C-alpha cells in the first residue's frame, strides 16, 4: 500500500521546475544520515526528539516565509511578521505540542525601509506574546528578496506528539474550519494557529494522525495517507468550503492552516459531543485499506516548485 | 563602560543601508518579549536555555547562508552546503557546546538544476557525518536567490556554555589560527568548525568569554567588549595574519570562523602549556577597564548592511 515515486526519469541536469516538492525532498534526503532512536525524521510537520525525561518530547522546526511566495510586497508589514510565526506555530499545533522558544531570522534588501522591518517584528512579537512564547534569538542578513525564517522549539509533556503516520484502517477523517480562498481573501495573514485544538486532540488521545493543511487538502491528505501507508475515501459534499469559493478552491488553494486528523471510528461520536472549541469540526471521510492514494487530476494542490 | 548607540538619528523612512547590523538588531529586539529565567537572549552566538536536568544547557541557533553574500554562484555546490552547516557549527563551538541535531531549509530558484541541489545536500551531509551529527528534518521553498538555512540544536552537559559577556578586567585575549583573506583564498568554504577546541576551553573552565570571528576581529571584538562591559587593548604586532595578507585584512575581512576568547591572566601560562590542539593559539591583547571600546576607523569590520 506504500505509495512509491520513481525518480528514474530525472537526471541531475533536470530543472527544479520539473519536480514536485515531495519528489525533491525524497531525492535530497534519501541518502542522508539516518535518524537514530527516539528521532522522527524528515517528513512530519516537526522533527521529534525524545527527551531524557520520561514522557517528554521535543519538537523542532524551521520554516521560511518569502515575499512573492507566501506574501505580496503590498501585504501589511505587521501581518507578514505575524504570518511567518503563525505558520511555524501551525506546525507545532499539528503535532499537538506546546510552543516554547523561537528564533527569528530575516533576510532584507538594503533598500528596505527600517520602519517596515520594525513593523514586521512587531507583528511577530504581538503573536508571540499572545501565545506566551519567548523569542530567544535572532539574526539578520542581507538578501535580494525579503524573507523570514522562524526556528521554533516546542514540546509535548505527559503525552506523545501526533505523527502523520498513525492512521489505520477505518479511522474517520476530520478537518477543522473551512477550506479554500485563504490567500485570496486574506485569511492566510490572519489565521490563528490551532495550538489549543491540536494539544487537546493529542493530550486526550483523540487523534491517531494529524497534520496542518498548508498546501491544500488534495496535496496534504495524500501525504498523510502515504505516511500512514493506507488509502482514503473522501465525501466531497462534506468538505467545508469557504463561502464564495468552490470545492476546487477548498481542495487545491492551500494556505488554510486548518488541522486534518484521523480518529478511531468508535471515538467519532464522543469526539463530536466533547469538542470544546468554537472552530467547527467536520468529518469528511475515512481511511481504508481499499481507499485511494491520491485525488483526481483536476484537484492538484498548490506546489511550490510547479508554481508558474 | 557599557557602549551605547543612539538611534535618534534614524527615522522609520531611513533605509537599511544607513545602519550597521548591530544597530538594526538593537532597534528590532529592544521592544521584544523579554527572555525569562534560564534564557540568554539576543546577541550571543547561540541562544541558551537551561534544561530541567542539572548542569544541562541547550544551545539553539538559526543561520542563513545566501548566494552573493556568503558564497558566489561559481562556488562548488558541495562546499556551499558544507559552509552553511560549518557556520552554524562554529556558533555552537563558540559557546563550547556539542552539536546535537540539525534542520536544513533551502530556498531554490525553479531554474536551478537538480544535480546542484543534490550536491549541496551531499556537502551538508558529509560534514554532518564527520561530526556524528543527526539531520532530523528539512524543508524546501521556492526563492529567487539560492539560500540555505541551518537550524541547529546543541548542548553543554556538566559545564556551563561560555557567553560573550564573561570577560573581566585583566583577562588575556586569545585567538586561534590565522586571520584575513578567508573569502579571497577560499578558506571560508573549507574551515573546520572549532567544536573540539571550544568544548575543551569551556569544559576545562579556561575561557571566561568566547565567540567566533565571522565579521572580522575589528567588528567582533568590540561586540565581546560591549557584552562584557569592559574595554580592550590589542597588540597589533601579535595578531596572527594569514600569509600573503595584511593586518587590515586580518582585522576587517571576516569569514575567519576562528575562536576569540578571554582567559584569566593567572591561567594564561598553563593554558599555553596545556593546549592540546594543532591549531595555533595566540595571545593578542587583554581586557581592561581603561581599554578601548572600538578599533580605529581604518579597521572597520565587514558589515552585511553596509556592503556595497
Amino acid at each position: 500500500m506504500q505509495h512509491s515515486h520513481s525518480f528514474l526519469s530525472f537526471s541531475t541536469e533536470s530543472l527544479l521546475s520539473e519536480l514536485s516538492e515531495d519528489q525533491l525532498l525524497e531525492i535530497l534526503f534519501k541518502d542522508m544520515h539516518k535518524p537514530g532512536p527516539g528521532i522522527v525524521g524528515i517528513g512530519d510537520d516537526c522533527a521529534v526528539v525524545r527527551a531524557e525525561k520520561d514522557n517528554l518530547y521535543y519538537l523542532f522546526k524551521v520554516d521560511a516565509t518569502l515575499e512573492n511566495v507566501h506574501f505580496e510586497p503590498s501585504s501589511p508589514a505587521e501581518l507578514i511578521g505575524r504570518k511567518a510565526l503563525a505558520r511555524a506555530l501551525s506546525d507545532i499545533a499539528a503535532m499537538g505540542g506546546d510552543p516554547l522558544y523561537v528564533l527569528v531570522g530575516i533576510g532584507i534588501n538594503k533598500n528596505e525601509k527600517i520602519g517596515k522591518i520594525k513593523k514586521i517584528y512587531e507583528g511577530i512579537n504581538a503573536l508571540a506574546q499572545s501565545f506566551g512564547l519567548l523569542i530567544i534569538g535572532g539574526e539578520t542578513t542581507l538578501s535580494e528578496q525579503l524573507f523570514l525564517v522562524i526556528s521554533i522549539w516546542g514540546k509535548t509533556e505527559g503525552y506523545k506528539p501526533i505523527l502523520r503516520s498513525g492512521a489505520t484502517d477505518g479511522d474517520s477523517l476530520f478537518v477543522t474550519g473551512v477550506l479554500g480562498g485563504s490567500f485570496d481573501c486574506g485569511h492566510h495573514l490572519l489565521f490563528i494557529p490551532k495550538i489549543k485544538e491540536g494539544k487537546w486532540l493529542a493530550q486526550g488521545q483523540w487523534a491517531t494522525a494529524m497534520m496542518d493543511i498548508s498546501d491544500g487538502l488534495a496535496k496534504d491528505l495524500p501525504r498523510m495517507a502515504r505516511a500512514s501507508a493506507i488509502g482514503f475515501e473522501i465525501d466531497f459534499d462534506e468538505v467545508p468550503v469557504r463561502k464564495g469559493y468552490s470545492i476546487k478552491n477548498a481542495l487545491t488553494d492551500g494556505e488554510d492552516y486548518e488541522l486534518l486528523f484521523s480518529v478511531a471510528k468508535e471515538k467519532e461520536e464522543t469526539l463530536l459531543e466533547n469538542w470544546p472549541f468554537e472552530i467547527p469540526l467536520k468529518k469528511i471521510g475515512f481511511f481504508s485499506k481499499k481507499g485511494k492514494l491520491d485525488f483526481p487530476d483536476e484537484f492538484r494542490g498548490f506546489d511550490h516548485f510547479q508554481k508558474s
Side-chain angles (χ1 to χ4, degrees), chain A:
Chain A
M1 194 50 107
Q2 183 75 43
H3 191 109
S4 76
H5 293 289
S6 166
F7 299 119
L8 297 177
S9 55
F10 298 108
S11 80
T12 55
E13 293 296 303
S14 296
L15 302 184
L16 204 61
S17 51
E18 299 168 40
L19 268 74
S20 74
E21 189 178 359
D22 289 346
Q23 289 171 323
L24 178 72
L25 280 173
E26 197 164 323
I27 291 177
L28 293 180
F29 286 107
K30 77 180 155 77
D31 301 323
M32 276 289 194
H33 199 135
K34 290 288 175 294
I39 311 280
V40 174
I42 310 291
D44 223 296
D45 292 88
C46 297
V48 179
V49 175
R50 201 191 307 264
E52 289 179 37
K53 197 173 145 187
D54 267 0
N55 246 335
L56 175 62
Y57 297 83
Y58 287 123
L59 310 173
F60 197 31
K61 173 76 184 187
V62 63
D63 180 75
T65 299
L66 288 86
E67 189 166 75
N68 295 323
V69 179
H70 303 101
F71 60 90
E72 291 166 324
S74 63
S75 303
E78 291 92 336
L79 298 186
I80 293 170
R82 186 192 186 282
K83 178 174 181 178
L85 178 56
R87 277 169 55 87
L89 285 170
S90 187
D91 284 316
I92 297 286
M95 313 294 291
D98 276 314
L100 293 173
Y101 305 112
V102 168
L103 299 178
V104 176
I106 183 164
I108 327 174
N109 191 288
K110 64 177 174 174
N111 297 318
E112 201 68 81
K113 284 184 185 149
I114 293 167
K116 178 166 182 178
I117 305 303
K118 221 169 149 13
K119 285 215 170 88
I120 289 175
Y121 273 80
E122 285 165 10
I124 297 172
N125 205 26
L127 189 65
Q129 292 206 16
S130 78
F131 279 94
L133 194 55
L134 292 174
I135 293 168
I136 59 171
E139 193 156 70
T140 55
T141 188
L142 200 67
S143 72
E144 289 158 25
Q145 184 178 10
L146 178 62
F147 70 85
L148 286 151
V149 178
I150 301 289
S151 185
I152 193 164
W153 183 8
K155 68 169 180 179
T156 65
E157 188 159 10
Y159 60 96
K160 286 186 183 171
I162 308 299
L163 308 180
R164 294 180 180 186
S165 53
T168 54
D169 194 29
D171 285 0
S172 303
L173 190 59
F174 284 88
V175 70
T176 61
V178 292
L179 307 179
S182 178
F183 204 90
D184 186 57
C185 78
H187 178 73
H188 75 114
L189 294 171
L190 294 165
F191 71 92
I192 297 169
K194 304 284 179 299
I195 293 288
K196 61 181 195 299
E197 292 84 353
K199 185 175 177 180
W200 186 86
L201 286 164
Q203 208 168 17
Q205 294 183 289
W206 295 103
T208 55
M210 186 155 62
M211 68 186 296
D212 72 332
I213 305 178
S214 54
D215 294 341
L217 188 69
K219 196 101 194 170
D220 288 325
L221 175 54
R223 287 177 175 150
M224 185 185 266
R226 212 144 64 219
S228 295
I230 188 107
F232 62 84
E233 295 294 346
I234 286 289
D235 184 343
F236 290 101
D237 293 337
E238 293 299 314
V239 173
V241 180
R242 187 184 309 280
K243 211 177 157 186
Y245 295 91
S246 68
I247 178 74
K248 183 162 184 182
N249 289 128
L251 296 181
T252 67
D253 284 353
E255 295 281 331
D256 302 303
Y257 303 104
E258 295 295 340
L259 291 177
L260 175 69
F261 60 95
S262 55
V263 173
K265 173 76 181 155
E266 63 272 21
K267 287 190 179 176
E268 186 186 307
E269 290 292 326
T270 345
L271 169 68
L272 288 164
E273 282 162 25
N274 284 279
W275 181 249
F277 305 106
E278 276 182 37
I279 188 99
L281 187 61
K282 197 77 186 285
K283 180 180 173 186
I284 59 169
F286 58 93
F287 283 107
S288 158
K289 276 196 270 191
K290 295 173 188 156
K292 298 174 185 63
L293 293 175
D294 221 331
F295 278 74
D297 278 350
E298 70 262 36
F299 299 129
R300 294 178 62 113
F302 171 82
D303 195 294
H304 289 295
F305 293 119
Q306 294 181 344
K307 202 185 167 204
S308 62

